Amino acid sequence: MDLQIFEARYLDMVSRCFKQGEAFLIMPLESGPESGQGDLRFAAIGCEAAIVDWQQRDNGLLGIRVEGRRRGRVSDVEVAPDGLVNANVIWLEEQPDQVLNAEHEDLQALHAALLDHPIAEGLGLPPLADSQQQLSYELAFLLPFSLDQKSVLLAIESPSARLHQISEWLELMQA
């Protein structure tokens, strides 16, 4: 995912990540000052974002490319005076991956078609392995699901269950 960084709090966070060789957690915001409603509240699970590339954009702002790694849940949340949220992260274990099978052929074909799009071509995604985990996470990223739907997918532990949910939503979109 490509991000454009311009707020001082996020520039400081990215600088710390570079210096310490660390990643950060992306958590969907359910409510809070930035969403314009209520107290600060996040989705249950977020995704570790490791910075894999950066450049100064034509507009002078910092552009970073992050790669999703592992899933995490936050605890002991603190909000700094500048609004940056800091927390402890509890990393979630992935269920064992499974190989793709005949029931996933349509999803594999969709994945291949999505990768032919000019925007997706520029992402540099690795070739699709025989992995339900990889297919499910890449489809969750590439398909135009809502943030709530993407949060649901991130919370599903089983790769096969995640692919099943994606299939169900695609059927609803086609209806």
Side-chain angles (χ1 to χ4, degrees), residues 51-161:
I51 302 169
V52 295
D53 196 12
W54 62 275
Q55 77 269 345
Q56 183 172 354
R57 299 254 169 123
D58 293 338
N59 60 9
L61 299 178
L62 174 65
I64 61 172
R65 176 165 287 177
V66 297
E67 176 181 274
R69 299 262 167 95
R70 39 189 183 164
R71 300 175 311 133
R73 183 182 314 273
V74 297
S75 68
D76 304 322
V77 176
E78 294 180 7
V79 181
D82 64 1
L84 185 66
V85 177
N86 295 294
N88 290 325
V89 179
I90 301 161
W91 298 113
L92 305 175
E93 286 192 38
E94 294 291 347
Q95 286 193 358
D97 200 359
Q98 300 168 16
V99 297
L100 297 167
N101 54 49
E103 75 179 88
H104 304 118
E105 288 177 1
D106 288 345
L107 293 176
Q108 288 176 275
L110 173 61
H111 180 269
L114 289 169
L115 290 183
D116 283 340
H117 190 280
I119 293 175
E121 284 178 346
L123 293 175
L125 294 173
L128 185 62
D130 194 13
S131 163
Q132 289 185 22
Q133 196 82 274
Q134 182 186 3
L135 179 61
S136 68
Y137 282 140
E138 288 186 13
L139 286 174
F141 172 67
L142 294 168
L143 289 168
F145 293 135
S146 70
L147 187 56
D148 287 341
Q149 288 173 307
K150 290 178 186 253
S151 292
V152 166
L153 292 173
L154 195 59
I156 296 174
E157 293 186 19
S158 162
S160 61

